[in-house]
Amino acid sequence: SLRPAPEESVNWDTTQHLFIEGENLEVLKLLYKAYFGRVKMIYIDPPYNTGNDFIYRDDYRQPRRAYLEKTGQIDAEGNVLTSNPEASGRYHSDWLTMMYPRLFLARQLLREDGVIWISIDDTEVSRLRLLCDEIFGEENFVATFIWEKRTTRENRRVFSFNHDFIVCYARNSELFQASRNLLPLSEEVLQRYSNPDNDPRGDWQSVSLNAQAGHATPAQFYTITTPGGRSVEPPSGRCWSVTEDRLQELIADNRVWFGPDGNNIPRLKVFLDEAREGLTPHTLWKADEVGTNDSAKKALLELFSETAVFDTPKPVALLKRIVQISTSDGDLVLDFFAGSSTTAQAALELNGDDGCNRVFVLIQLPESVAEDSVARKEGFETIADIGKERIRRIVAQMQVEREGQLPLDTRDTPEDLGFRVFKLAPSNFRQWEQPGEDADALAQQLTFFDRGLEEGADPQNVIYEVILKEGYPLTSRIETLPLEANLVYRITDTRREDPPSFYLCLDAEVHTASLDALPLDKMTVFICRDTALSDSQKVNLAAQCVLKVV
């Protein structure tokens, strides 16, 4: 289950953003029903298989033991965090085995036009491509982006490795391509536009009118006579990009530039108003565009008052570019290897820049930081603690910046500066434990299960576990109904235009007066303890509504 932690959250009652602390495979399973097909973009920065980084060891033969070890509920002698030496015969397969179920679930969570971005280095990029081809389909490969992660030269190795890769796959490549956004025009690009001929349509820049001749038609080879009387042919091995008839149409529309003296090779005029939609993203991302590991670390140092609490953050500008390309207003962004929560900062800042309301869901294993680390000395026990604190500090900064500012008129809803924290915890429902061949022990176990909930289960924890089981999001509205005889909750999925609801009562006994006061019909779900209803009440309720018991 996922236990709410309002005391660690910001603006719990109003925010839609989520930070979930726990082992990501278990969390993804819990989110599956509620978030199936709803995520527009996923970014993950999984552990690179360097031989020293941790590997999530998934023991499918002993799932409960593996779960307890990974969530720190029992003595983890087997260690969740373990090395993967290169000499191991399973060096690559261990890493791939860890990645496969997580990527498989990730695909199920994506919308049909959704996309996933995965940071990786040379060690596993080829195998990651093969893995993603199997899960997402080779036809849904979008691109492999090269990111310049450092600008300094590394002299300790044979070659200085200055880049990493970001592999991009779509749930459906055609639908993603139709929905992807262009990059905004930079100041550098805007400076290329001018209006030397005083065209009434405004500023423009010229682009080449010739192309490679390899696939040209005969109609693309001809001689052009410039306004100054010069005869011009395409350069060697090139052709004109348009036919002669089309060229004459463009000239008549004053869309061809022959230079200030009218004798240059013709170029096509592209007007600024026509290019306002933006720039097509390229696949080489330079450090001066999106930052480096070093610039990301410096930014984090500033945020944490010159304290190096995290060694390998990604630049916010890099994540902002990915989020900007992939999402629009109201879209859901997921990062299940959240690290220092760069994705959250990128989404929050981008929302502030363009007035959108993207929602993030971050998942991070509570991996312990080293005892002798600066982070531990600053009071951070886990990487999850660092990630949560980063979001708090970013939200606080943005709230200060918003003070005295007028709200954006373009917003349909207020800017969301907050996040809810949940933590992976044992289920509130009793778990079956095999009693062996002893008949008396089996009978006792069956009696034990007459009561579906664990003794002392916190009602708030139970509510959120039921919410996920019913396929409702963790941000559903929870209302306490004004009934005298029982405490009844109405849970509403506010993400839908016609929001559905269900009713939940966890009291030891449900009174008929309470049931009569509820607007129950054939489509309404009512959930309560199995022992809270008499047999006659169950019969009547089953005929009146959708009755579910725990």
Side-chain angles (χ1 to χ4, degrees):
S1 70
L2 295 179
R3 175 174 60 83
E7 69 283 357
E8 298 184 34
S9 308
V10 177
N11 296 327
W12 173 276
D13 292 331
T14 57
T15 186
Q16 298 292 304
H17 302 306
L18 301 175
F19 185 100
I20 303 173
E21 183 177 315
E23 201 283 318
N24 56 17
L25 182 59
E26 296 298 326
V27 174
L28 290 173
K29 292 176 184 177
L30 292 174
L31 298 181
Y32 180 82
K33 186 175 182 180
Y35 292 88
F36 175 84
R38 294 188 174 275
V39 177
K40 180 59 170 69
M41 189 209 94
I42 298 174
Y43 169 79
I44 56 173
D45 183 13
Y48 293 177
N49 197 5
T50 63
N52 295 317
D53 291 335
F54 67 87
I55 290 291
Y56 290 63
R57 300 188 72 87
D58 302 317
D59 186 350
Y60 297 103
R61 293 168 299 175
Q62 295 178 314
R64 181 157 178 78
R65 177 188 168 196
Y67 165 75
L68 292 173
E69 289 178 356
K70 282 180 285 192
T71 53
Q73 298 175 57
I74 63 174
D75 185 17
E77 291 295 336
N79 290 326
V80 176
L81 309 179
T82 183
S83 63
N84 184 28
E86 195 166 355
S88 167
R90 295 180 55 84
Y91 178 69
H92 295 295
S93 62
D94 279 349
W95 187 85
L96 292 169
T97 300
M98 180 274 292
M99 291 294 294
Y100 185 92
R102 291 163 174 83
L103 290 178
F104 182 85
L105 285 171
R107 181 186 179 277
Q108 311 310 312
L109 297 178
L110 283 175
R111 286 173 13 183
E112 286 299 315
D113 61 348
V115 63
I116 183 170
W117 306 71
I118 308 169
S119 285
I120 198 65
D121 67 356
D122 271 320
T123 307
E124 296 292 359
V125 64
S126 60
R127 278 162 284 270
L128 177 64
R129 280 286 311 274
L130 293 173
L131 182 63
C132 289
D133 282 346
E134 178 177 341
I135 293 173
F136 295 92
E138 187 176 355
E139 70 279 6
N140 292 316
F141 169 70
V142 177
T144 296
F145 295 81
I146 297 175
W147 165 51
E148 187 182 20
K149 67 178 180 179
R150 75 157 58 94
T151 55
T152 56
R153 192 176 304 277
E154 187 181 33
N155 295 318
R156 296 173 299 169
R157 306 174 71 174
V158 177
F159 295 101
S160 178
F161 290 88
N162 284 43
H163 71 276
D164 272 352
F165 302 97
I166 303 175
V167 177
C168 182
Y169 276 79
R171 177 76 185 262
N172 182 304
S173 60
E174 292 183 0
L175 293 179
F176 169 67
Q177 290 171 22
S179 68
R180 78 97 167 85
N181 301 313
L182 300 175
L183 295 177
L185 299 179
S186 64
E187 286 300 321
E188 178 185 355
V189 172
L190 291 173
Q191 290 175 4
R192 301 173 190 167
Y193 288 84
S194 61
N195 195 359
D197 62 347
N198 296 316
D199 194 305
R201 289 167 289 193
D203 289 352
W204 52 270
Q205 70 165 326
S206 64
V207 297
S208 177
L209 258 175
N210 62 69
Q212 291 184 354
H215 299 284
T217 64
Q220 291 174 259
F221 296 91
Y222 52 90
T223 301
I224 296 174
T225 302
T226 68
R230 177 189 171 197
S231 295
V232 179
E233 294 184 353
S236 176
R238 311 281 291 180
C239 67
W240 300 119
S241 58
V242 296
T243 64
E244 188 169 8
D245 290 343
R246 176 57 181 157
L247 178 70
Q248 294 305 318
E249 293 176 0
L250 293 171
I251 292 174
D253 194 27
N254 191 23
R255 286 181 176 268
V256 179
W257 175 244
F258 289 93
D261 60 357
N263 273 323
N264 289 356
I265 292 178
R267 293 174 64 86
L268 180 67
K269 292 165 64 174
V270 178
F271 291 92
L272 179 58
D273 286 344
E274 298 171 343
R276 287 286 185 189
E277 291 184 2
L279 303 172
T280 300
H282 52 65
T283 56
L284 177 60
W285 291 358
K286 302 287 288 182
D288 58 357
E289 298 174 353
V290 297
T292 63
N293 276 335
D294 187 54
S295 66
K297 193 169 182 178
K298 289 178 180 177
L300 203 59
L301 281 171
E302 293 177 3
L303 186 63
F304 282 86
S305 303
E306 304 301 324
T307 301
V309 295
F310 196 81
D311 291 331
T312 56
K314 290 293 188 291
V316 175
L318 174 68
L319 269 298
K320 286 179 74 171
R321 171 170 287 193
I322 292 173
V323 175
Q324 191 274 325
I325 290 172
S326 308
T327 63
S328 301
D329 191 24
D331 286 345
L332 185 61
V333 176
L334 171 64
D335 182 347
F336 52 87
F337 286 98
S340 66
S341 297
T342 307
T343 302
Q345 181 174 347
L348 290 171
E349 289 188 2
L350 196 58
N351 284 347
D353 293 343
D354 61 16
C356 291
N357 285 290
R358 301 169 186 84
V359 176
F360 66 75
V361 176
L362 267 58
I363 305 170
Q364 175 57 43
L365 179 77
E367 175 192 349
S368 297
V369 299
E371 290 288 344
D372 58 349
S373 65
V374 174
R376 176 76 71 165
K377 294 175 183 176
E378 291 295 319
F380 300 106
E381 296 185 359
T382 68
I383 291 178
D385 291 337
I386 296 172
K388 288 179 289 185
E389 182 60 23
R390 179 179 191 168
I391 305 175
R392 294 188 196 103
R393 296 192 183 197
I394 288 298
V395 167
Q397 282 188 359
M398 296 180 72
Q399 287 173 335
V400 171
E401 293 170 359
R402 301 299 184 268
E403 291 178 1
Q405 294 182 0
L406 294 176
L408 290 175
D409 295 335
T410 55
R411 287 192 180 277
D412 294 329
T413 57
E415 186 175 13
D416 187 347
L417 294 178
F419 68 108
R420 293 186 177 190
V421 175
F422 288 84
K423 298 186 178 184
L424 187 64
S427 173
N428 297 284
F429 294 88
R430 296 187 185 277
Q431 303 298 303
W432 178 265
E433 295 181 6
Q434 184 62 37
E437 300 180 359
D438 189 335
D440 292 337
L442 176 60
Q444 184 178 3
Q445 181 83 337
L446 292 172
T447 304
F448 182 70
F449 270 84
D450 285 345
R451 301 180 303 280
L453 296 177
E454 293 280 6
E455 291 293 339
D458 187 296
Q460 287 299 310
N461 298 352
V462 176
I463 290 172
Y464 280 103
E465 185 165 4
V466 173
I467 281 176
L468 288 178
K469 287 181 180 293
E470 288 300 304
Y472 281 54
L474 290 167
T475 52
S476 297
R477 185 173 64 242
I478 303 173
E479 302 169 275
T480 302
L481 301 184
L483 302 180
E484 294 184 3
N486 288 110
L487 179 58
V488 177
Y489 305 95
R490 177 168 57 206
I491 290 89
T492 305
D493 184 353
T494 55
R495 68 188 173 185
R496 304 183 189 181
E497 293 183 2
D498 185 17
S501 299
F502 70 89
Y503 296 92
L504 173 66
C505 180
L506 299 175
D507 291 350
E509 180 182 357
V510 177
H511 298 280
T512 302
S514 298
L515 298 174
D516 293 340
L518 296 176
L520 302 178
D521 57 34
K522 292 287 187 180
M523 301 299 294
T524 304
V525 174
F526 179 79
I527 304 173
C528 66
R529 295 174 183 258
D530 185 36
T531 56
L533 297 173
S534 65
D535 290 342
S536 60
Q537 283 178 312
K538 290 179 183 177
V539 172
N540 292 333
L541 269 180
Q544 184 181 357
C545 66
V546 180
L547 174 63
K548 297 183 179 181
V549 295
V550 295

